[in-house]
Each structure stands twice: as C-alpha cells, then as structure tokens.
Amino acid sequence: MEINIKLMSEVAYITLQKNPEDVYNNLKKNPTDSLWLRQYLGFEPFEEKEYSIEDFDLKDSSDSIDMSLDNGICIYEHLKHLPRYILCNPRFWAWITFEKAYKVAQNYSKSMGVDYITSSWLITDSRRALMLGVISHLFFMVQMSVEENKPNKYSLTKYLFSNPETYRNFCYRNIGMLRNVTLAVIRAQKDIWEKYNISILSKQNAEMIKETSKIGSVMLIDIMTEEEIYELIYPKFIKILTGR
C-alpha cells in the first residue's frame, strides 16, 4: 500500500525544539506510541506532501546488529527514490521518527538524556546531525555502503553495521561525502578483517580515517577511483593494525 510522505510542520518542530524537557518527559511516559504529540501541541503536527512511498513497518528492537541492519535496509529501500531535499530535511525525519519508527527510536534512546533526545530526535539541518539522527543514521549508513550494481549489494553494508565506529568517523570528515572514498575504506577494512581476523579498535579506526584524509591533501581524491584509493590505503591500514 502506498502512502504520501509527511513533514512535521515548522511550527510544531520549533515548538518541540524550544521545549526539550517536555519532549523528553513525554517520550519517557509514552514508550509505545506518539499520540501524546497531538495532545501536547494542540494541533496536527504533520503536513502531507505529494511524494508517495510504499508503506513499511520496522522491527521494534535495536538490541542486535542484524535487526538494525534489517531496519536500515528497509528504510533505505522505501525512501531511496525520494529527492535529496526531502531526505536532507530534518522535518521529514521528524515524521519518520515520531510516527513510522517511534518504537525503534525509543529503543535506541533507552538510556539517553535530554541532550540526546533533542539532538537526535529533533535534528538540525547540518550534514553531521542528519547522519547521526536516531533513525536517519540507519538510512545514511546504508546509502554510504550499498553497491547497487553488485549481486550482493549489501555486503559492505553488513560490515559497516557491525563496525559503526567507521561510520561515525566519516560523519565528522568531509571525505565521508565521497562514495569512492567510503567504499574503498569499508572494503579495505572488511578484507583485512576477513583475511587476518583482526578487530579494529576505536583509536585505530580514527587513525585509518585520518590517513585516508591525508591522501586528499596531496591528491585529487574526489576524482580517483575506488580501486585507486583502495590500493593506497590497504597497506597503510595493515601497518596501523600490525605495525608492519
């Protein structure tokens, strides 16, 4: 069944952003549905738009990597055809978060405080905020790693979901916007892990991303192929992990 997408109205969004304690308390009191939102605001919070998507439901648990992966793929497959200005609109993700993925978002937020709730549920329109949003991050993790032209197009995606530190590092660097770079890094890490069975520590991961960024300071990394980048970073990653 197809449904029209919605955006949270600007008035509703600003109202919630200005009252983070109220949002936090209502989320804690209402873990299973967002009916409280209309009662709190006193008006309909969402505006219907012309774009349609196939309706979907998510698995309402974030306790496992596989479940997060399944939810990420589900969100990506249902939303990927939408225009970029919609996918980068925080008010669109507010609708997804509060209405379509409320229980999942609650599970991701169980032990979080007011700051996390307001920054991750009511995100700003900055690239970093969008990529780290409580539900939007699932979409962008898949978008960053999917290989549409490959038979197993989610091979790198599965690895990325099991190693989210790689994704977080990309969120804080401009090279995270370059698919030739992100795919090369994820593939190099995955290949090393499969060949040597080496777990990548957080500090090592950050060092790998820094080494990749250095390439961009001396070469036009944005016009290099994924294969060219891979050949440069693979031995660097091995050295970081093994000292050799």
Side-chain angles (χ1 to χ4, degrees):
M1 180 181 72
E2 288 202 339
I3 60 171
N4 279 22
I5 68 164
K6 297 179 183 180
L7 270 64
M8 181 175 283
S9 72
E10 190 169 353
V11 173
Y13 204 77
I14 292 173
T15 300
L16 297 181
Q17 284 186 315
K18 287 182 176 179
N19 296 278
E21 291 282 354
D22 289 349
V23 175
Y24 176 77
N25 290 331
N26 275 295
L27 289 173
K28 291 300 180 184
K29 291 176 184 176
N30 301 274
T32 59
D33 66 67
S34 59
L35 294 177
W36 63 270
L37 193 57
R38 289 168 178 80
Q39 297 170 350
Y40 175 76
L41 292 169
F43 55 86
E44 171 58 43
F46 304 112
E47 303 169 338
E48 191 170 285
K49 300 299 177 181
E50 62 185 44
Y51 296 104
S52 62
I53 60 172
E54 188 70 24
D55 199 7
F56 64 91
D57 293 305
L58 300 180
K59 299 177 180 179
D60 62 355
S61 174
S62 58
D63 296 333
S64 73
I65 292 171
D66 287 344
M67 199 159 289
S68 292
L69 174 64
D70 289 346
N71 282 337
I73 291 174
C74 178
I75 291 172
Y76 174 78
E77 288 293 341
H78 284 83
L79 305 183
K80 65 181 181 180
H81 66 283
L82 293 173
R84 192 71 181 171
Y85 79 90
I86 293 291
L87 293 171
C88 292
N89 190 324
R91 294 192 288 120
F92 168 72
W93 288 107
W95 169 62
I96 294 291
T97 300
F98 280 93
E99 192 156 283
K100 295 300 299 172
Y102 187 79
K103 288 184 180 180
V104 175
Q106 284 276 21
N107 283 327
Y108 278 118
S109 310
K110 282 178 181 176
S111 60
M112 302 302 180
V114 177
D115 289 344
Y116 175 83
I117 295 297
T118 52
S119 66
S120 297
W121 286 61
L122 298 166
I123 53 183
T124 67
D125 58 358
S126 73
R127 170 182 167 271
R128 183 186 303 171
L130 283 165
M131 293 184 75
L132 295 174
V134 64
I135 297 300
S136 56
H137 84 276
L138 296 172
F139 174 89
F140 290 109
M141 282 183 79
V142 177
Q143 186 185 65
M144 177 182 285
S145 54
V146 65
E147 299 176 287
E148 293 286 1
N149 60 335
K150 298 289 182 67
N152 185 10
K153 66 179 184 178
Y154 291 121
S155 175
L156 297 184
T157 303
K158 186 174 182 179
Y159 174 83
L160 188 62
F161 269 76
S162 65
N163 295 271
E165 193 69 25
T166 300
Y167 176 76
R168 283 191 288 269
N169 274 298
F170 275 133
C171 292
Y172 288 89
R173 293 186 175 272
N174 289 335
I175 58 170
M177 295 187 290
L178 302 174
R179 275 185 57 79
N180 57 334
V181 176
T182 59
L183 292 177
V185 169
I186 299 167
R187 186 180 309 283
Q189 289 188 348
K190 179 176 179 289
D191 288 350
I192 292 169
W193 173 69
E194 290 178 343
K195 184 174 181 178
Y196 298 100
N197 194 27
I198 300 176
S199 296
I200 301 174
L201 303 178
S202 178
K203 183 178 180 180
Q204 293 171 324
N205 204 312
E207 193 174 347
M208 288 178 177
I209 304 302
K210 287 180 182 178
E211 283 295 323
T212 307
S213 293
K214 287 179 183 178
I215 297 173
S217 66
V218 295
M219 304 178 74
L220 296 175
I221 197 170
D222 54 327
I223 63 172
M224 294 173 65
T225 67
E226 176 191 338
E227 290 72 22
E228 288 171 335
I229 298 169
Y230 179 99
E231 292 299 321
L232 285 172
I233 62 176
Y234 187 89
K236 294 180 183 292
F237 288 4
I238 291 290
K239 186 175 182 179
I240 290 170
L241 289 170
T242 65
R244 298 196 300 270

